[in-house]
């Protein structure tokens, strides 16, 4: 049972990013969110390395923010360019 | 070995006590450091207080108008004593500043966390998100943590401190906290873990916790946030890693 | 100086007591009404606009009559002796310093938002979706206008110092004309701007800073205009024209603030 769990859940999260060394991590979250959508716009949704950005922004951004940004992307009023 | 006998059992103080004057027991290296810094500064405080009150008391005692009727009209400065009472405080401040800054920057450091937990302050409850493990449908662990009303308390639970859903964290694991607010500024604080960090809307604040022992640690919102500011407590339960994984699995 | 010596036959000190005046209390209440009705107007209370107009008229009325009384004391009673002038200079310089700090706080707000743009505006400056104005169109022309008006006011000042009445009048008049053209161009640019004060922190910072500056240009123009009126009416001598010098100092201050605005907000802040 316990062996299963250790292999089922890998204890791993977004690492330290030297661009965001401060207590304020707002841009760390935002950067990974925009990078993910830039990445899949360039390489397609199945491109494995893009998943890294998605994992990072899921770990760092409050779910409410992600939902808001997803809505904004759908409505075309997301406040940053997602062109690769 | 001694721990097995009930009279030698250590009972940690992880919640405030009535008329408590000292600290709660530390459960994290950060808080151990804070207590140590407090003790260091207290040493200087005692030395300075004794010195100042001794001088003050002896002046009052010896130089009142009855005991010392002669007015020293021209004794209005002394370069040596002025140098001493200017330079000595400066040196003391440096001696306090060094360990203080050392601790400050140590507490700021979040190098390689294993888990990220998002903490969101609401009027008037906390919600927590564990999004490192997202299932197939993209859902992550997310729950609200409300204070238990007095009527629901069971024997042994703390009034105004216990909550319905505690934050579960594994022991001896570096955990990154991302703290933000959903409406107004709150502040997430747990004394035993040495954490107090503002939850500001539109901003993500980062800090880290490392629980050194299992236990339940209590804290309260520490930034006045509205009428029920005092009724949105924080309860963190540190459990062994296997239990943490089981908890993750059950959610 | 003769007037001062004359005065010393009547009193042994260089100062004068200001006679009882209704203006301080009137202006106090007018300003209270002005600011209160300003809040009422902005929050859409009934009669807010009418009260705001009334507050503006009352404040302006009080100021005009107050300054008229000061001119009476200075020009017609000779109350502004060298020492009194010295106090007025210190007061005016401190006023300019306080104005400088007011602008500093607005520049601070601008740089706070522009140097580290928030994620809500796309993490860039100008914010995503905002088209900034071209600094080398009207703003550059305005820079030239304002700088040359500063040169003309210096010409007018030196003409006044040399007792050249024609030069003083023409120099000051050209300054005023250039200032009015500046204000008109600024108003045209406001009307043409592709963003409003409500368009993100960019619009707020832009219109608050340039708007406060524009207000100062208008006040400075009126100030110099009063100086022109007083030159024409023989109020000034080659030695005693403090009101005129204060208006020149004010004008240069407005000029310098514009240079900072042009460099920081129009040029640096637009790309």
């Amino acid at each position: 049972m316990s062996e299963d769990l250790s292999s089922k859940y890998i204890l791993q999260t977004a690492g330290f990013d030297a661009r965001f060394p401060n207590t304020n991590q707002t841009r760390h979250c935002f950067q990974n969110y925009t990078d993910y959508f830039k990445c899949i716009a360039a390489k397609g949704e199945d491109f494995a390395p893009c998943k890294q950005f998605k994992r990072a922004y899921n770990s760092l951004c409050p779910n409410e923010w992600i939902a808001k940004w997803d809505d904004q992307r759908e409505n075309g009023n997301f406040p940053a360019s997602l062109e690769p | 070995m001694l721990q097995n006998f009930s009279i030698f059992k250590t009972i940690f103080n992880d919640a405030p006590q009535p008329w408590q004057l000292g600290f709660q027991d530390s459960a994290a290296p950060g808080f151990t450091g804070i207590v140590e810094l407090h003790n260091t500064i207290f040493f200087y405080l005692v030395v300075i207080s004794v010195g100042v009150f001794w001088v003050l008391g002896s002046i009052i005692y010896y130089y009142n108008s009855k005991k010392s009727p002669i007015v020293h009209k021209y004794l209005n400065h002394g370069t040596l004593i002025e140098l001493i009472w200017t330079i000595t405080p400066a040196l003391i401040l440096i001696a306090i500043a060094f360990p203080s800054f050392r601790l400050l920057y140590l507490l700021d450091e979040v190098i390689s966390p294993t888990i990220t937990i998002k903490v969101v302050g609401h009027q008037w409850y906390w919600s927590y998100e564990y999004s490192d493990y997202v299932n197939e449908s993209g859902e992550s662990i997310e729950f609200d943590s409300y204070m238990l009303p007095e009527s629901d308390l069971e024997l042994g639970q703390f009034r105004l401190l216990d909550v319905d859903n505690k934050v579960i964290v594994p022991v001896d694991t570096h955990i990154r906290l991302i703290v933000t607010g959903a409406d107004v500024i709150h502040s997430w604080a747990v004394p035993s873990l040495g954490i107090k960090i503002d939850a500001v809307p539109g901003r993500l604040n980062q800090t880290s916790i490392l629980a050194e022992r299992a236990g339940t640690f209590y804290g309260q919102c520490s930034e006045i946030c509205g009428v029920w500011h005092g009724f949105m407590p924080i309860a963190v339960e540190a459990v062994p890693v296997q239990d943490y994984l089981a908890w993750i699995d059950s959610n | 100086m003769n007037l001062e010596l004359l005065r010393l036959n009547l009193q042994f000190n260089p100062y004068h007591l200001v006679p009882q005046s209704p203006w301080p209390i009137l202006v106090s209440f007018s300003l209270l009404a002005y600011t209160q009705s300003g809040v009422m107007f902005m929050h859409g209370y009934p009669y807010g606009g009418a009260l705001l107009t009334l507050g503006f008229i009352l404040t302006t009325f009080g100021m005009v009559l107050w300054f008229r009384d000061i001119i009476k004391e200075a020009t017609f009673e000779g109350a502004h002796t060298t020492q009194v002038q010295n106090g007025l200079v210190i007061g005016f310089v401190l006023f300019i310093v306080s104005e400088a700090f007011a602008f500093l706080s607005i520049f601070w707000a601008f740089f706070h938002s522009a140097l580290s743009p928030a994620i809500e505006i796309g993490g860039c400056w100008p914010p995503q979706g905002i088209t900034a104005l071209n600094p080398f169109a009207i703003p550059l022309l305005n820079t030239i206008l304002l700088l040359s008006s500063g040169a003309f006011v210096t010409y007018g000042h030196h003409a006044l110092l040399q007792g050249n009445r024609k030069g003083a009048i023409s120099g000051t008049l050209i300054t005023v004309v250039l200032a009015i053209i500046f204000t008109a161009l600024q108003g045209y640019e406001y009307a043409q701007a592709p963003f409003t004060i409500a368009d993100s922190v960019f619009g707020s910072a832009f219109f608050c800073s340039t708007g406060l500056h524009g207000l100062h240009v208008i006040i400075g123009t009126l100030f110099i205009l009063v100086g022109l009126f007083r030159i024409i009416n023989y109020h000034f001598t080659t030695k005693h024209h403090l009101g005129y010098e204060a208006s020149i100092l004010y004008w240069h201050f407005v000029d310098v603030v514009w240079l900072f605005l042009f460099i920081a907000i129009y040029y640096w802040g637009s790309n």
Side-chain angles (χ1 to χ4, degrees):
Chain A
M1 165 74 182
S2 60
E3 290 301 313
D4 299 351
L5 287 174
S6 304
S7 51
K8 189 172 171 190
Y9 298 103
I10 303 150
L11 291 181
Q12 196 182 6
T13 189
F16 174 78
D17 189 331
R19 292 173 297 172
F20 312 104
N22 301 320
T23 301
N24 187 348
Q25 292 290 305
T26 319
R27 298 209 65 164
H28 193 178
C29 139
F30 187 73
Q31 191 72 49
N32 277 294
Y33 186 84
T34 51
D35 282 351
Y36 174 68
F37 288 100
K38 283 179 185 178
C39 183
I40 58 170
K43 298 283 183 183
E45 207 146 331
D46 298 327
F47 189 61
C50 293
K51 296 266 191 293
Q52 185 61 36
F53 296 125
K54 186 168 191 171
R55 269 198 295 276
Y57 82 68
N58 265 317
S59 288
L60 295 168
C61 303
N63 297 347
E64 204 187 320
W65 293 23
I66 298 173
K68 190 182 81 183
W69 290 337
D70 288 345
D71 282 349
Q72 287 181 340
R73 277 190 304 107
E74 271 174 39
N75 300 330
N77 59 355
F78 186 71
S81 166
L82 295 174
E83 298 300 312
Chain B
M1 196 60 208
L2 284 173
Q3 291 283 317
N4 292 334
F5 299 94
S6 65
I7 56 160
F8 294 114
K9 239 183 191 126
T10 314
I11 300 174
F12 290 107
N13 179 15
D14 294 333
Q17 300 294 307
W19 299 102
Q20 181 179 354
L21 285 177
F23 291 118
Q24 292 172 28
D25 287 318
S26 172
F31 192 56
T32 311
I34 292 170
V35 173
E36 200 172 296
L37 179 73
H38 166 269
N39 295 345
T40 308
I41 295 175
F42 217 96
F43 164 76
Y44 293 107
L45 188 144
V46 169
V47 171
I48 293 168
S49 299
V50 167
V52 168
F53 282 109
W54 178 36
V55 172
L56 188 65
S58 52
I59 287 172
I60 293 169
Y61 186 77
Y62 290 112
Y63 294 92
N64 63 52
S65 58
K66 278 189 189 133
K67 278 195 180 154
S68 177
I70 300 162
V71 176
H72 295 272
K73 189 175 170 184
Y74 298 103
L75 186 64
N76 47 27
H77 82 115
T79 307
L80 180 65
I81 190 72
E82 282 163 12
L83 281 174
I84 289 171
W85 75 43
T86 306
I87 291 169
T88 318
L91 293 176
I92 293 171
L93 283 178
I94 290 168
I96 291 173
F98 268 90
S100 170
F101 280 119
R102 179 177 152 274
L103 179 66
L104 186 68
Y105 291 118
L106 276 171
L107 291 178
D108 250 5
E109 213 66 61
V110 181
I111 295 286
S112 53
T114 317
I115 298 167
T116 301
I117 300 174
K118 290 171 275 178
V119 180
V120 185
H122 302 260
Q123 282 176 320
W124 289 272
Y125 61 96
W126 294 96
S127 68
Y128 301 93
E129 294 166 14
Y130 295 64
S131 305
D132 290 341
Y133 339 92
V134 180
N135 66 11
E136 289 75 28
S137 54
E139 287 166 335
S140 59
I141 300 172
E142 191 178 345
F143 58 87
D144 298 337
S145 174
Y146 282 91
M147 184 187 80
L148 285 179
E150 216 172 318
S151 52
D152 291 3
L153 287 180
E154 285 164 22
L155 200 64
Q157 287 187 316
F158 291 104
R159 191 179 74 95
L160 304 182
L161 281 180
D162 256 307
V163 298
D164 52 1
N165 294 308
K166 291 174 183 166
V167 194
I168 308 294
V169 298
V171 293
D172 295 327
T173 308
H174 286 281
I175 299 158
R176 172 202 277 134
L177 290 180
I178 296 283
V179 185
T180 187
D183 31 48
V184 298
I185 304 181
H186 303 268
S187 182
W188 198 86
V190 180
S192 288
L193 298 173
I195 296 292
K196 175 173 283 179
I197 185 161
D198 276 9
V200 185
R203 176 184 164 122
L204 305 177
N205 276 333
Q206 172 183 254
T207 188
S208 76
I209 53 176
L210 174 68
E212 288 178 317
R213 57 182 167 81
T216 306
F217 314 113
Y218 293 93
Q220 288 167 308
C221 180
S222 297
E223 179 68 55
I224 184 82
C225 60
V227 277
W228 284 315
H229 163 63
F231 308 100
M232 47 182 292
I234 297 145
V236 179
E237 189 174 349
V239 297
V241 181
Q242 284 309 318
D243 295 0
Y244 170 76
L245 290 172
W247 178 77
I248 290 282
D249 198 48
S250 68
N251 281 279
Chain C
M1 213 49 204
N2 285 337
L3 209 60
E4 285 194 48
L5 288 174
L6 201 69
R7 205 179 170 85
L8 282 176
N9 291 323
L10 307 170
Q11 61 176 55
F12 293 115
N13 67 70
Y15 305 106
H16 68 287
L17 280 176
V18 178
Q20 284 194 337
S21 164
W23 311 133
I25 191 77
L26 179 108
V27 170
S28 300
F29 279 105
S30 308
L31 283 171
L32 181 70
Y34 195 13
T35 47
Q36 289 281 310
S37 57
V39 173
M40 284 174 69
F41 172 66
M42 287 183 230
H43 286 266
Y45 280 81
Y47 306 114
L51 283 171
L52 185 65
T53 315
L54 189 68
F56 175 74
I57 291 170
L58 275 174
T59 309
T60 316
F61 175 75
M63 282 168 69
V64 167
L65 294 181
W66 193 343
F67 293 148
R68 183 201 62 177
D69 281 1
I70 296 173
I71 289 173
K72 276 183 186 167
E73 286 159 17
T75 307
F76 301 113
E77 293 171 16
H80 285 188
T81 58
T82 313
Q83 281 86 342
V84 172
Q85 283 187 52
N86 193 36
L88 288 168
V89 167
I90 292 170
F92 197 79
V93 168
L94 286 173
F95 166 67
I96 298 255
V97 169
S98 75
E99 294 262 80
F101 278 103
F103 276 102
L104 180 80
S105 65
I106 285 180
F107 273 102
W108 192 294
F110 166 76
F111 281 115
H112 176 93
S113 306
L115 283 171
S116 173
I119 60 165
E120 285 82 357
I121 56 170
C124 55
W125 194 270
Q128 191 79 10
I130 293 262
T131 316
L133 296 167
N134 176 12
F136 297 112
I138 291 177
L140 183 63
L141 176 62
N142 270 342
T143 308
I144 295 163
L145 283 176
L146 219 50
L147 284 177
S148 34
S149 80
F152 277 109
V153 86
T154 307
Y155 170 76
H157 187 209
H158 280 261
L160 182 68
L161 289 172
Q162 286 160 11
N164 174 0
R165 179 176 162 81
K166 263 193 180 160
I169 291 174
S170 57
T172 314
L173 186 66
I174 294 169
T175 308
V176 171
V177 169
L178 290 175
I180 290 169
I181 297 172
F182 175 91
T183 310
L185 283 175
Q186 206 61 356
Y188 173 75
E189 195 178 48
Y190 272 22
Q192 296 285 312
F195 51 85
T196 73
I197 195 167
D199 278 329
S200 84
V201 70
F202 182 91
S204 306
F206 179 85
F207 282 107
C208 283
S209 54
T210 58
L212 189 72
H213 175 262
L215 190 69
H216 281 75
V217 170
I218 293 168
I219 294 169
T221 312
L222 291 171
F223 202 170
I224 295 174
L225 207 57
V226 169
L228 179 64
F229 166 83
R230 296 181 69 192
I231 294 171
I232 292 170
N233 285 283
Y234 301 96
H235 284 197
F236 292 145
T237 69
T238 53
K239 297 245 164 54
H240 187 177
H241 44 263
L242 190 87
Y244 188 56
E245 281 178 331
S247 74
I248 292 168
L249 187 65
Y250 194 78
W251 194 246
H252 286 316
F253 166 70
V254 169
D255 209 350
V256 169
V257 170
W258 172 262
L259 291 178
F260 281 111
L261 281 175
F262 180 70
I263 294 166
I265 291 173
Y266 283 98
Y267 175 67
W268 179 80
S270 67
N271 51 41

